């Protein structure tokens, strides 16, 4: 380690919230990790400090030009201690996002070490009620106070953490999804494959409209042809078509999801055929007509698997698997969450122990 | 006015920078304007306060999901006092951007009144050297500390101001532009027509690459066909083709620029034919071959008019008007800047007096 990470402990600890009422991203732990970047010094001054507001010049570039990236991963309390799920993948992806946003690369080892130190200090915040976890949010913001449109000369890398509730308090529940034909999330040549703020801001309108019409989320189509499937909400998406599982290939406009990667790995391990390729909405509708659209589900760190019970496209409704969670979807969900909470074997070495 | 704007004056005023060395967006005035929004109160507590850092929870949505919009306009010191150029247009556009970003509409009159009060307090900051002005940056950021991807329940609207130098210290200079064929700024259905952070973050990579190759900026092509002209850098773009001025029509992925609107108004007033329509890069190259690509220029608040002396596309260079500023470009530049600094008549009522 090039540099020592310092630790300043909070004088007073917060009261921990009721683990049965955590929700998502509402409570934050007692500490956070900060690392600074300046053009003349590189990344420096890594430290764990009490969770606190940050003070920024109103001209800081993040407010005006959105030069920012983030990550999301989880820590789980298992019978054999606190475990992280594939954490190095997140720091690798952070650096890919950095490259796309003209943010200098971060030392992945140093960032990871910061997380470990932070987790150590706040280890009591990893909840233990079934289905709960500690959500971890590393992010970088451009801090230079200058209004020229060009890359910032200074940045803050931070990690904050939030205990989060069971995503499916009453069992996994399929959702109704609106296939979005007006708004576009991202396009090839844009920033869709980076985990950066602008992609999420761009999706709010569509999401609000879908909710008003009774849908949980939108299924995004590509911005060029308006027919190839991209993602569902902030998740990657999979379809089981006549026994074959298909998912949109990485094409530059969708995120290279870590859960997506885990699902593909698992399916291959089981001998279930998986294809990463272009999938059009027409193909799905055709399959629905033929009775071969057997299952559909989103994948992401927050929900792991989110079964899709209904698609709505141009005013038509397409019910999938009778609106119930599919057998394979359930099996994937049970397996990945079982590995995460330590109740199942971890054949791929996905878990990393804190201690 | 529904609500009173309060004023807290700075105890100590900053030293003003040398008006001959202002640059762009490097210095900020003594005060700023703030207005807060909370879901249960609406926009409230408008106040002019000393320019200062803002303190935000690291979970504030602006850092993660980029829910933010901004504006840019200028105040000029003329012989008959301080003048603003078409300011109400900016507040109208701000509300259009708000709608696209799921930000609650702002009371345009209150926001404008905030600007006037701020300008009043900081009036000595409007520089007087020829070509200088006071750049005004209104912006809104989402402040709710919650990691769910949905619209924030609280916002800050702020106005900061920066004295800026003459854009062309040594006379108007044509720039060399790289026609971007890999990266895309925005696509129909996205947020390209909103003035929001993500659009600028998305452009950094291309801009950096263009600079490395000796170009000032990139000319953006549309994200669907990769052939229709969109904008140049952060400016709208015009071409004079065989006596007719053409500019890309407002199509949802480009900004409805106020300078663009002023240029169109001026040309119509002069009886010069103007067309707002699709313009393809092939049409421009064809016109170049025929000798009918007579002039090209960008338009925006910062530079007013930025003549384009050369386009580079797929390795070929296309010199325009011998690399010199075109006659019409110069006339438009002289007229608009003449109106702005009060040296020419203002037939369209574009200037608004501070007093
Ligand atoms: C846009 C988007 N797609 C997909 C995903 C899924 O990625 P992961 O499985 O790494 O959480 C996320 C993040 O959760 C996302 O934000
Ligand atoms: C993307 C973009 N296009 C065009 C313009 C020009 O708009 P205006 O003339 O209103 O400054 C701007 C802002 O300056 C811009 O940011």
């Amino acid at each position: 380690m090039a540099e020592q990470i310092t630790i300043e402990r909070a004088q007073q600890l917060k009261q921990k919230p009721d683990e049965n009422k955590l929700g998502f991203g509402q409570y934050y732990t007692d500490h956070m990790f900060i690392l600074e970047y300046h053009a003349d010094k590189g990344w420096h001054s890594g430290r764990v400090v009490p969770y606190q507001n940050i003070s920024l010049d109103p001209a800081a570039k993040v407010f005006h030009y959105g030069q920012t990236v983030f990550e999301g991963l989880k820590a789980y309390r298992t019978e054999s201690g606190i475990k992280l799920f594939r954490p190095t993948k997140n720091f690798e992806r952070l650096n890919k996002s950095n490259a796309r946003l003209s943010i200098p690369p971060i030392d992945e080892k140093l960032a990871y070490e910061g997380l470990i130190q932070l987790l150590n200090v706040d280890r009591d915040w990893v909840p233990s009620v079934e289905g709960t976890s500690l959500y971890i949010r590393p992010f970088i913001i451009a801090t230079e106070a200058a209004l020229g449109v060009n890359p910032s000369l200074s940045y803050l890398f931070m990690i904050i953490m939030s205990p989060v509730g069971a995503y499916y308090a009453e069992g996994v529940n399929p959702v109704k999804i609106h296939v979005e034909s007006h708004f576009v999330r991202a396009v090839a040549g844009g920033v869709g494959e980076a985990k950066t703020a602008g992609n999420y801001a761009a999706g709010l309108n569509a999401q609000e409209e879908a909710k008003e019409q009774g849908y949980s989320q939108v299924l995004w189509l590509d911005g060029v042809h308006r027919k190839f499937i991209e993602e569902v909400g902030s998740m990657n998406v999979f379809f089981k078509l006549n026994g074959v599982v298909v998912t949109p290939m990485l094409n530059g406009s969708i995120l290279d999801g870590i859960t997506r990667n885990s699902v593909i790995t698992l399916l291959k391990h089981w001998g279930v055929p998986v294809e990463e390729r272009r999938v059009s909405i027409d193909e799905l509708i055709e399959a629905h007509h033929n009775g071969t659209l057997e299952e559909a589900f989103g994948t992401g760190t927050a929900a792991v698997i989110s079964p899709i019970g209904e698609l709505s496209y141009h005013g038509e409704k397409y019910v999938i698997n009778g609106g119930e969670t599919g057998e394979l979807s359930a099996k994937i969900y049970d397996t990945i969450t079982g590995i995460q909470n330590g109740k199942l074997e971890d054949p791929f070495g996905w878990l990393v122990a804190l201690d």
Side-chain angles (χ1 to χ4, degrees), chain A residues 17 35 46 85 94 141-142 162 164 175 195 213 225 273 289 299 321:
Chain A
L35 184 67
F85 187 73
L94 187 70
I141 55 176
S162 170
V164 299
V175 292
K195 210 161 161 72
Q213 292 167 42
H225 310 278
H289 285 315
T299 69
N321 194 41

Side-chain angles (χ1 to χ4, degrees), chain A residues 32 67 175 212 260 279 321:
Chain A
M32 62 191 195
Q67 207 192 357
V175 292
E212 270 165 35
R260 175 185 182 279
V279 189
N321 194 41

Side-chain angles (χ1 to χ4, degrees), chain A residues 68-89:
Chain A
T68 170
V69 296
F70 71 94
E71 270 304 326
L73 69 158
K74 283 180 171 178
Y76 304 86
R77 187 174 293 282
T78 75
E79 286 193 354
S80 56
I82 294 170
K83 302 284 162 84
L84 287 158
F85 187 73
R86 312 186 76 183
T88 50
K89 284 239 158 224

Side-chain angles (χ1 to χ4, degrees), chain A residues 235-301:
Chain A
M235 291 186 281
N236 295 109
V237 65
F238 288 74
F239 303 92
K240 184 162 163 262
L241 299 172
N242 209 11
V244 178
V245 178
V246 299
T247 190
M249 65 193 192
L250 301 177
N251 60 357
S253 56
I254 69 171
L255 194 74
D256 182 0
I258 294 162
T259 318
R260 175 185 182 279
N261 178 283
S262 306
V263 169
I264 292 171
T265 304
L266 205 54
L267 290 170
K268 287 186 175 162
H269 181 68
W270 289 340
V272 176
V274 203
E275 293 173 7
E276 298 180 60
R277 61 166 170 85
R278 277 184 159 191
V279 189
S280 75
I281 182 69
D282 303 325
E283 177 183 356
L284 296 183
I285 289 169
E286 172 88 5
H288 186 269
H289 285 315
N290 296 342
T292 54
L293 174 49
E294 296 158 349
E295 301 189 28
F297 55 92
T299 69
T301 293

Side-chain angles (χ1 to χ4, degrees), chain A residues 183 197-211 218 220:
Chain A
F183 294 112
N199 290 328
Y200 300 82
L204 294 174
N205 266 187
Q207 188 183 310
E208 292 298 288
E209 280 189 13
K211 276 197 188 139
V218 300
W220 297 108

Side-chain angles (χ1 to χ4, degrees), chain A residues 175 177-178 217-220 229-238 297-299 306 308 311:
Chain A
V175 292
I177 297 291
H178 175 71
Q217 264 301 348
V218 300
L219 185 73
W220 297 108
I229 308 296
E230 298 251 314
E231 308 196 39
V232 58
S234 304
M235 291 186 281
N236 295 109
V237 65
F238 288 74
F297 55 92
T299 69
S306 177
I308 298 170
L311 291 177

